[in-house]
Amino acid sequence: MTYWLTAAGIAAFGPTALGVRVPAVLAVLAQVVLVFGLGKLLFRGDARHALAAAILYGTFPVVLISALNVTTDAYLMLWELLAAYGILRYLHGAAGGGFTCFGWAWAWPFLPKGPWAQCCR
């Protein structure tokens, strides 16, 4: 998946550093949005605490570094956060297919970084 997304970035923005890094930056931005959503679920709709959690997460040095490197980490964390968001939506009884979101999101981390990817090198 990392190679597919990098190729898509190169196709969209050309063979430059920008083209290579845009997919990872977008993945990190999606992570920040998911942390905000998780905060709203965990803090019972309190947007102030959810926003604080998203800002704090988005300013962690390791998160910022993963946005600028071409590694599997940004995509892996994106799918894991989406799975956590889906299962929490389901457990809180929110409408909208939270369990389905959890199932699909939990399957996707194996594409960028999974057991089969490690053994097939």
Side-chain angles (χ1 to χ4, degrees):
M1 176 188 286
T2 303
Y3 300 123
W4 299 339
L5 293 171
T6 303
I10 290 171
F13 298 101
T16 62
L18 175 71
V20 171
R21 290 186 173 93
V22 161
V25 170
L26 293 175
V28 169
L29 288 175
Q31 289 175 29
V32 172
V33 171
L34 283 169
V35 168
F36 178 77
L38 284 167
K40 284 191 75 169
L41 286 171
L42 292 172
F43 295 118
R44 311 236 189 266
D46 186 2
R48 291 179 305 121
H49 287 94
L51 183 61
I55 291 171
L56 184 64
Y57 178 81
T59 57
F60 283 149
V62 71
V63 173
L64 295 173
I65 290 168
S66 75
L68 298 177
N69 288 331
V70 183
T71 64
T72 58
D73 298 331
Y75 310 116
L76 177 68
M77 195 63 206
L78 172 64
W79 295 117
E80 290 175 348
L81 280 170
L82 186 60
Y85 179 74
I87 197 66
L88 279 176
R89 279 186 60 85
Y90 173 74
L91 292 174
H92 283 137
F99 196 73
T100 304
C101 174
F102 164 74
W104 279 102
W106 198 244
W108 277 95
F110 289 99
L111 285 174
K113 192 174 194 175
W116 65 271
Q118 300 302 322
C119 70
C120 297
R121 288 182 180 210

